[in-house]
Amino acid sequence: MNAPHTRFDLAEDRSASAPPEARGLERDEVRLLAAGPAGVQHATFRDLPAFLNPGDLLVVNTSGTLPAAVDAVRDERVITVHFSTELDDGTWVIELRAPGGPLLDGRAGERLSLPAGAVVTLREPHVAGAQRLWRAKIEVEGEVARYLAKVGRPIRYGYVPRAWPLPNYQTVFALDPGSAEMPSAARPFTPELVTQLVSRGVLFAPILLHTGVSSPEAGEPPYGERFRVPATTAALVNWVRDQGGRVIAVGTTAVRAIESAANPGGLVTAAAGWTELVLGPDRPARAVDGLITGLHTPEASHLLLLEAVVGPELVQRAYDAAVRREYLWHEFGDVSLLASR
């Protein structure tokens, strides 16, 4: 897999350890770094209308976040199961975790006990030759999503030391539960900000992409995710491009969905199913002119996607500025707007 060109050092104290509301801020008061051909500017997210033009299109992900972390008993020891992705045959992709990170010693046929009598049986590694993600059979009464709603909690990592209720992990656009982790680029949007943008002539269009658990392994590529691009969204993307407006994806999930529905000339058509698309030097963006996104860790595969949309030079300038100005990283942190024009 290609490595991103963008290089930077990230201090340990740059991770946002709690929602901005816990720091005395509104959702739309996180910092916004806007980077484009004209340079880099610093603002707050509620200043976003100043950086968009009438006729620009924001593509938003309507996936909702599942309470996808559940305790399990394994050899008389409590571990955590992260429910990542439901597959077409009803099995799930899961990850086994301990406080120190993913457990890589899963065994085919291994059975784990979950609350309320549920059982997880490991079948086979989801990715051949890897041990982090497993395809598993879930024995539970009723639908798994309903079960998770009763016993699960949001996935969180070590940089968030305390638990926060599920509403802290939902965006204003969330309609369809299915993501293991929040499509967090949209978290700073509020109903009032959306209203203001619409009133100024900025357009919105929905896509759906259910995101799985994030990869803790440097250089590990994204895997297949379920997505849908409606015909109305495809038509609106094409119309905005014809009119000279910009297509700005809200989040890497929205980029992946739209680009999965774009032909080599950038024409977008309705599409649904599974996408394995990985953007990078060999596959630049065709339909998306920019994106709103959180800040990604060094060597993360998402940096390749950013570079494929706006170019490595712009991404490097943006990250140099974010490090210098001490922006906050991760899902509760600050946000960037990167635009190629």
Side-chain angles (χ1 to χ4, degrees):
M1 178 182 172
N2 293 306
H5 290 85
T6 306
R7 292 286 185 268
F8 60 96
D9 294 320
L10 184 62
E12 292 184 3
D13 63 352
R14 291 298 87 208
S15 296
S17 60
E21 299 92 312
R23 308 194 301 268
L25 302 174
E26 299 293 335
R27 282 195 177 213
D28 61 358
E29 287 184 313
V30 296
R31 299 170 72 185
L32 173 67
L33 184 152
V40 176
Q41 300 181 65
H42 303 277
T44 60
F45 194 79
R46 64 175 48 170
D47 298 318
L48 179 63
F51 299 98
L52 298 176
N53 304 317
D56 284 346
L57 174 65
L58 294 180
V59 180
V60 299
N61 188 358
T62 61
S63 180
T65 309
L66 296 170
V70 179
D71 289 333
V73 177
R74 185 194 201 203
D75 299 330
E76 300 182 354
R77 172 188 170 202
V78 177
I79 65 169
T80 300
V81 175
H82 285 178
F83 285 71
S84 178
T85 307
E86 184 177 14
L87 301 176
D88 291 335
D89 62 359
T91 61
W92 279 73
V93 177
I94 66 167
E95 179 188 41
L96 308 182
R97 289 189 73 92
L103 296 169
L104 305 179
D105 58 349
R107 307 178 303 276
E110 182 179 4
R111 290 168 60 87
L112 307 174
S113 298
L114 273 63
V119 176
V120 169
T121 304
L122 304 187
R123 285 190 169 178
E124 60 185 358
H126 182 53
V127 179
Q131 292 290 112
R132 185 175 71 90
L133 300 175
W134 281 82
R135 186 172 301 186
K137 178 182 178 183
I138 313 298
E139 298 175 48
V140 62
E141 184 177 348
E143 296 179 355
V144 173
R146 289 187 178 182
Y147 173 76
L148 293 176
K150 294 178 180 178
V151 306
R153 60 187 182 274
I155 289 175
R156 64 185 174 96
Y157 297 107
Y159 53 82
V160 180
R162 61 154 285 189
W164 295 95
L166 185 61
N168 288 277
Y169 292 86
Q170 302 291 12
T171 75
V172 72
F173 305 110
L175 291 175
D176 307 291
S179 281
E181 298 183 13
M182 173 175 53
S184 56
R187 191 184 192 278
F189 282 90
T190 63
E192 295 79 12
L193 182 57
V194 172
T195 299
Q196 184 181 1
L197 288 165
V198 170
S199 299
R200 295 191 176 195
V202 175
L203 306 170
F204 285 80
I207 58 88
L208 179 70
L209 187 142
H210 291 319
T211 181
V213 294
S214 60
S215 168
E217 310 295 336
E220 184 177 342
Y223 51 92
E225 293 173 313
R226 192 187 301 274
F227 83 107
R228 183 174 70 245
V229 175
T232 50
T233 292
L236 192 52
V237 168
N238 296 331
W239 182 82
V240 166
R241 287 170 55 84
D242 287 344
Q243 298 299 310
R246 298 180 300 176
V247 177
I248 306 293
V250 178
T252 57
T253 59
V255 175
R256 196 180 197 195
I258 287 294
E259 291 295 331
S260 296
N263 71 11
L267 183 70
V268 176
T269 55
W274 293 88
T275 176
E276 303 277 350
L277 178 65
V278 177
L279 294 181
D282 301 327
R283 172 49 167 92
R286 297 167 175 171
V288 173
D289 301 298
L291 73 163
I292 293 169
T293 182
L295 295 163
H296 304 284
T297 53
E299 299 185 15
S301 60
H302 285 316
L303 292 172
L304 279 169
L305 182 149
L306 270 57
E307 294 173 356
V309 175
V310 300
E313 295 81 7
L314 180 58
V315 178
Q316 185 69 65
R317 289 202 305 273
Y319 274 74
D320 287 344
V323 170
R324 188 167 56 250
R325 293 291 191 101
E326 298 186 334
Y327 276 63
L328 292 178
W329 260 249
H330 297 301
E331 67 267 26
F332 293 139
D334 298 317
V335 181
S336 64
L337 165 62
L338 308 177
S340 61
R341 61 185 179 94

